Amino acid sequence: MIRIHGAVACVTGGARGIGKATAAELVRRGAIVWIGDLDLAEAERTAAEIGAHAAPLDVCDPGSFADFHSAASVHGPPAMLVNNAGIQVMGPFAEQRLDVYHREVAVNLIGPINGMHTFLPGMLERNHGHIVNISSMAAKVTTPGMSVYSATKYAVAALSRAVRAEIAGSAVTISTVMPTAVHTELTAGVSLALLPTREPDDVATAIVDTAEHSRREITVPRWLAAFGVVEELTPEPLLQRLKHLATLRQPPGHFDAESRRGYLDRIGQ
């Protein structure tokens, strides 16, 4: 566990959504917060709004992560890293562009790998630090129309579990947070009528709380944790029928294109 007040905390993808809410919650609890984001202008606006610092960050680029770490280190060794940056591609698997899927894997999985590989050595050397990797309930309950997204989030959970076992003898901790659908730009144009949903502030509170209790895997809301067991134990043909009903018989990954246009333009889809 780490003491948040006075700690240097870094949040990737911190300009918007869950990242912005997490950065704001860390500031509220007294942390020195650095936001890293590909959209530096938006990150700087967010930082000015909440009382944080901003730096450019492309999570897919190890050199960019090293520069981000150096920028934050002017206030002291980073004690917390939140690997939050992520994108979501939706639609039938065979109909999507392969380069967009490669980008999704790079941001959602290579990003946390780069972040952990950059920040973890110093934390282990100091025997002090905490990393939060943002996964998703899509890691526990696979979702038609979000195939590669589900795969990346499953991989993030597995990555966290494996590295956590490697460093179990140290005081450095790693938590995986798995939110349900959250009202952010990432879910723009998506029908959430039959899903339990949360606001970014709800997830941010759960993320920051992990620094003080260091639970290994946290679903938001917590009662959803059991659904992973249901997914594993339910026969797949029955699961397929249930998931088809849950999507109101819409095509896999259906969304309102007009409502989602701004997000799709931003992620280059």
Side-chain angles (χ1 to χ4, degrees):
M1 296 185 291
I2 66 169
R3 184 173 182 267
I4 295 175
H5 188 84
V8 176
C10 300
V11 183
T12 74
R16 300 174 174 84
I18 293 172
K20 178 179 179 178
T22 300
E25 180 64 15
L26 284 164
V27 169
R28 190 186 70 78
R29 299 196 198 185
I32 302 167
V33 178
W34 277 82
I35 293 170
D37 204 285
L38 199 60
D39 187 344
L40 180 58
E42 188 65 24
E44 288 176 336
R45 281 190 288 270
T46 293
E49 177 186 335
I50 67 174
H53 307 272
L57 174 61
D58 178 355
V59 297
C60 306
D61 179 1
S64 181
F65 240 123
D67 291 343
F68 178 54
H69 181 276
S70 295
S73 296
V74 300
H75 289 117
M80 184 171 180
L81 169 67
V82 181
N83 278 314
N84 164 76
I87 61 174
Q88 184 182 85
V89 177
M90 302 189 67
F93 174 81
E95 297 177 12
Q96 309 309 307
R97 289 181 5 228
L98 199 55
D99 65 304
V100 175
Y101 276 148
H102 288 183
R103 175 68 177 167
E104 188 174 29
V105 172
V107 175
N108 294 3
L109 177 57
I110 303 302
I113 291 173
N114 288 340
M116 292 176 69
H117 200 265
T118 302
F119 281 69
L120 189 57
M123 290 180 175
L124 291 172
E125 184 179 345
R126 296 184 297 275
N127 201 33
H128 178 76
H130 181 54
I131 294 174
V132 186
N133 291 326
I134 308 305
S135 177
S136 168
M137 276 306 300
K140 288 183 172 289
V141 182
T142 53
T143 307
M146 293 166 42
S147 53
V148 175
Y149 181 81
S150 293
T152 61
K153 294 304 185 178
Y154 188 94
V156 166
L159 170 71
S160 305
R161 204 172 298 138
V163 178
R164 195 159 47 232
E166 291 181 15
I167 66 172
S170 77
V172 179
T173 50
I174 300 173
S175 295
T176 312
V177 174
M178 302 177 175
T180 182
V182 182
H183 293 284
T184 66
E185 191 183 27
L186 186 138
T187 58
V190 180
S191 175
L192 304 177
L194 297 181
L195 295 174
T197 59
R198 290 295 184 269
E199 297 298 327
D201 288 348
D202 300 320
V203 184
T205 299
I207 291 169
V208 179
D209 283 349
T210 64
E212 299 176 341
H213 61 61
S214 298
R215 283 197 295 271
R216 293 169 177 81
E217 293 187 350
I218 302 93
T219 60
V220 183
R222 290 184 67 181
W223 57 265
L224 280 178
F227 278 67
V229 179
V230 173
E231 170 96 357
E232 292 296 326
L233 297 180
T234 304
E236 191 166 341
L238 176 57
L239 270 178
Q240 290 172 352
R241 289 197 292 271
L242 292 173
K243 290 175 182 180
H244 183 60
L245 290 172
T247 58
L248 301 176
R249 297 185 172 86
Q250 295 285 355
H254 175 76
F255 57 84
D256 180 80
E258 183 176 349
S259 300
R260 197 167 176 77
R261 188 70 265 157
Y263 178 72
L264 295 178
D265 288 343
R266 189 163 66 78
I267 68 171
Q269 186 180 359

